[in-house]
Amino acid sequence: MDQTSLFPKTTRTLLDKKAALASDNIEAWRNFSITIFKAGALDEKTKQLIAIAVGHVTQCPYCIRAHTSQAMRKGASKEEIMEAIWVASEMRAGAAYAHATIAMDEMEKQE
């Protein structure tokens, strides 16, 4: 499958059209995003590394691209980014295994 048809290139035109369809919502979301990614108890680089990990778990290609470039701008190394991705991978795999308890519980009921 051609990935460009599944995930279209983000353009200013598409972004502007999306924003115009819900201008109050996009303004609120942009302000929320700006606030969340400001340095606080966590520095900006760490927040971007978290966002990369979450982007991989939620499987959002746009988030992965945006936060990877932001993390690098904030000083993250390629090694730090890959390590964050591996943490996300472990958590995703761990969640799948942990949820096996639900299947086990159901199988026990069928005996």
Side-chain angles (χ1 to χ4, degrees):
M1 172 186 258
D2 179 12
Q3 292 299 311
T4 57
S5 63
L6 183 58
F7 301 110
K9 182 171 172 48
T10 301
T11 65
R12 175 54 54 198
T13 301
L14 285 177
L15 291 174
D16 290 345
K17 286 181 178 182
K18 277 194 322 185
L21 292 171
S23 59
D24 288 347
N25 295 16
I26 194 69
E27 183 180 345
W29 178 74
R30 285 176 179 158
N31 287 333
F32 177 64
S33 184
I34 288 166
T35 301
I36 295 305
F37 284 99
K38 285 182 181 175
L42 297 172
D43 62 69
E44 292 179 53
K45 180 179 91 170
T46 300
K47 289 182 176 192
Q48 291 300 329
L49 289 168
I50 292 168
I52 292 168
V54 172
H56 279 80
V57 171
T58 61
Q59 300 177 331
C60 175
Y62 299 106
C63 298
I64 292 167
R65 284 193 182 278
H67 292 289
T68 297
S69 70
Q70 284 293 324
M72 292 185 85
R73 280 192 209 98
K74 300 298 179 184
S77 68
K78 292 176 181 178
E79 292 81 7
E80 288 173 314
I81 291 168
M82 265 325 293
E83 193 165 321
I85 293 166
W86 276 109
V87 169
S89 299
E90 191 285 333
M91 293 299 293
R92 182 71 175 193
Y97 181 69
H99 280 83
T101 303
I102 298 168
M104 290 299 303
D105 183 57
E106 194 58 34
M107 287 187 281
E108 292 294 314
K109 291 177 185 174
Q110 301 301 318
E111 291 183 351

